[in-house]
Amino acid sequence: MDLDSLRMFITVAEKGSFVSAARQLGVTQPTLSRKIKLLEEQLNLKLLHRGNRELSLTPQGKKIFKTSLAVTQAWDRGLESLGNNEQDVKGKLRLGLLHPMARWLSESFITDFLKRYPNIQLDLVTLTPKQLLSMPDCDLMISPIMPEDQSLVAIKIFECNFCCYASPDYLNTFGIPQTPTQLSNHLCIANINCPNAEKNWPYIDIDGTEKSVDISGRVTSDSMDIARLLAANGLGIALLPELQVTELVNEHKLVQVLSEYRFKRVDMNIIVRSRDHMTQRVKAFIDAYKAFLTEHRGVQYL
């Protein structure tokens, strides 16, 4: 039995498919099948139910899966503990996140992180909001959504503020709303990539009371990236994360409106499988991400 066999078994179990696992591991499917078969023979256990279309773990396989994770993670931590500088932090790091966050970090943070840690291979995996609930095949996630899996750990990093933005051309044509209630008379770009498609925007009034305003418009989007571009092109008012529109605001393509009112705030979390057993590369990413937010964006992480 070797660690490579355990890692292969872990990948097959996570993917639920020999084809997908072989593609990720960069091996042929027959090679992968032989490795898993040999592992079963060495353990004298059946680890997988092999159906025509579905692949699932046997009860013994579920126990071996947890043990394999613990063994490989302990080995990785042991190797990493031998190093004492950034050159020694190495290995693959799979980061799951929504597409807008992936784009934003790719424009700013990722390049500096990889220069600082040249021996880390970073795989960015863009996920849907539904996928964020279960953390599929990732070492960690950056997520505004709390996972349903109670075994996962959410580390709150900062609060993400959403504000209303529109283009100067739109505001010149339709006027500037003075109160949130006036949004019902404007073209608003609703987000339909959430548990319930937006039909209203909650906000906190100047007197501190919680209210909401019904919204409508001619276009909706399931992507914050698309919504910001639609707003910049004059198609309506969008409720967007302020951290991700800085460039368009500086370029005078977007203007914030109703700044004296507080709209949606979302906790941004880093999701990990265990707080106590994080690998050194996961810790390195989290520390670097926090430092980036504080130094370059003025975010006071929690």
Side-chain angles (χ1 to χ4, degrees):
M1 190 186 306
D2 56 54
L3 286 176
D4 283 343
S5 295
L6 296 184
R7 295 188 198 279
M8 287 182 176
F9 170 63
I10 290 169
T11 305
V12 171
E14 290 177 336
K15 289 292 187 181
S17 163
F18 277 106
V19 175
S20 299
R23 186 181 301 118
Q24 178 175 317
L25 292 166
V27 300
T28 65
Q29 185 177 342
T31 297
L32 182 59
S33 297
R34 284 197 301 272
K35 278 282 192 179
I36 301 304
K37 186 65 176 176
L38 179 59
L39 180 61
E40 289 180 317
E41 292 174 356
Q42 291 171 330
L43 294 171
N44 196 26
L45 293 171
K46 183 177 180 180
L47 302 178
L48 298 167
H49 292 301
R50 296 167 172 83
N52 291 332
R53 295 185 178 181
E54 295 183 355
L55 196 68
S56 61
L57 292 172
T58 65
Q60 295 87 351
K62 293 178 181 178
K63 293 180 180 180
I64 295 299
F65 174 73
K66 292 182 179 179
T67 301
S68 298
L69 278 177
V71 169
T72 54
Q73 290 172 358
W75 178 259
D76 289 341
R77 289 195 301 272
L79 290 180
E80 290 176 347
S81 67
L82 299 176
N84 55 15
N85 59 55
E86 293 165 350
Q87 299 285 332
D88 295 318
V89 182
K90 60 183 65 176
K92 180 182 289 189
L93 186 64
R94 289 179 63 82
L95 171 65
L97 65 180
L98 295 172
H99 182 271
M101 179 63 73
R103 175 197 55 76
W104 179 59
L105 292 182
S106 297
E107 292 174 347
S108 49
F109 168 71
I110 298 300
T111 300
D112 289 340
F113 175 75
L114 292 179
K115 286 181 179 178
R116 181 176 176 184
Y117 295 97
N119 293 317
I120 287 182
Q121 177 184 331
L122 183 62
D123 292 349
L124 296 179
V125 183
T126 55
L127 304 174
T128 64
K130 185 176 181 179
Q131 289 174 311
L132 292 176
L133 295 173
S134 59
M135 192 170 174
D137 193 24
C138 295
D139 298 303
L140 73 165
M141 297 189 305
I142 299 176
S143 173
I145 299 172
M146 294 297 290
E148 292 180 341
D149 187 341
Q150 297 298 310
S151 67
L152 299 175
V153 178
I155 303 171
K156 184 176 176 181
I157 302 296
F158 67 95
E159 289 183 344
C160 182
N161 297 319
F162 283 66
C163 304
C164 292
Y165 297 92
S167 72
D169 287 344
Y170 175 88
L171 297 175
N172 288 335
T173 302
F174 295 95
I176 301 174
Q178 301 301 314
T179 66
T181 57
Q182 293 180 4
L183 289 172
S184 60
N185 299 320
H186 280 266
L187 299 174
C188 295
I189 302 170
N191 175 21
I192 58 173
N193 195 12
C194 49
N196 297 303
E198 288 180 338
K199 296 182 179 180
N200 57 70
W201 287 344
Y203 67 95
I204 296 179
D205 209 341
I206 294 177
D207 62 6
T209 58
E210 296 182 3
K211 299 180 179 180
S212 67
V213 55
D214 293 337
I215 61 166
S216 62
R218 297 177 57 198
V219 61
T220 62
S221 175
D222 63 355
S223 165
M224 286 294 173
D225 272 345
I226 299 300
R228 64 197 278 272
L229 294 177
L230 292 172
N233 287 328
L235 293 177
I237 298 174
L239 189 61
L240 301 168
E242 60 179 351
L243 285 174
Q244 296 181 26
V245 298
T246 305
E247 292 79 7
L248 292 178
V249 171
N250 291 339
E251 294 169 1
H252 307 292
K253 294 179 180 179
L254 284 178
V255 176
Q256 183 180 352
V257 297
L258 302 171
S259 59
E260 62 270 37
Y261 296 88
R262 198 178 90 186
F263 285 83
K264 183 167 64 173
R265 288 189 177 181
V266 174
D267 290 341
M268 194 61 65
N269 306 292
I270 286 183
I271 311 296
V272 295
R273 299 192 183 279
S274 170
R275 188 188 291 268
D276 298 326
H277 301 292
M278 288 188 286
T279 64
Q280 193 171 352
R281 54 187 177 274
V282 168
K283 292 178 181 177
F285 181 91
I286 293 174
D287 290 343
Y289 181 53
K290 287 181 176 181
F292 163 77
L293 292 173
T294 301
E295 180 178 354
H296 297 286
R297 299 292 170 174
V299 175
Q300 294 299 313
Y301 61 82
L302 304 175

